[in-house]
Amino acid sequence: QVQLVESGGGSVQSGGSLRLTCVISGSTYGQYCLVWFRQIPGKQREGVAAIDSDGTRSYADSLQGRFTISHDHAENTLTLNMNNLKPEDTAMYYCAAGKAPLYLIGDTYYCNFTFQGQGTQVSVSP
């Protein structure tokens, strides 16, 4: 069983930065994928960034290089550094984990995740 707890969300002005942290308890040894996704009520979930046990990283094209995902294996902590935030980044952000590496369909990576956290809210004002 894997449990994930997110923190670091908050309210910032446009152009600001936030760092989201996801503490992972339970094993992520062997093959795995870790992902951040976001969701606005009434809208479809959107993948933001992902990383896997092979070191593959993937980002949503819409981010234009503003976010960085990293995984501290020793601390088993997943981090999302978000810079130059925009109002359209406002959403609930979730981390999730799957027990297989990312897989590629076309030019998009996917994580077949089975565990996710409760989310942390990010609000960006103009």
Side-chain angles (χ1 to χ4, degrees):
Q1 187 74 10
V2 176
Q3 293 184 324
L4 305 100
V5 179
E6 304 96 334
S7 63
S11 298
V12 296
Q13 291 187 322
S14 182
S17 299
L18 283 173
R19 173 180 289 182
L20 304 184
T21 299
C22 176
V23 176
I24 306 165
S25 60
S27 174
T28 52
Y29 296 108
Q31 295 184 317
Y32 60 86
C33 59
L34 302 170
V35 61
W36 286 99
F37 66 89
R38 62 190 181 187
Q39 190 159 25
I40 300 170
K43 294 196 174 182
Q44 196 169 9
R45 181 175 65 201
E46 178 188 15
V48 173
I51 189 170
D52 73 4
S53 46
D54 295 332
T56 301
R57 284 178 170 82
S58 177
Y59 297 94
D61 291 340
S62 61
L63 298 179
Q64 299 177 320
R66 297 182 294 117
F67 293 7
T68 303
I69 189 171
S70 60
H71 178 225
D72 184 330
H73 202 284
E75 298 292 328
N76 214 4
T77 301
L78 181 69
T79 300
L80 184 69
N81 286 300
M82 306 187 295
N83 297 314
N84 192 21
L85 284 161
K86 304 177 180 182
E88 52 264 41
D89 295 317
T90 295
M92 184 72 81
Y93 284 71
Y94 300 87
C95 63
K99 294 198 171 185
L102 296 171
Y103 62 96
L104 187 64
I105 299 178
D107 58 358
T108 302
Y109 282 98
Y110 294 89
C111 172
N112 185 21
F113 64 84
T114 52
F115 307 99
Q116 72 174 71
Q118 295 298 307
T120 185
Q121 178 68 39
V122 171
S123 299
V124 185
S125 57

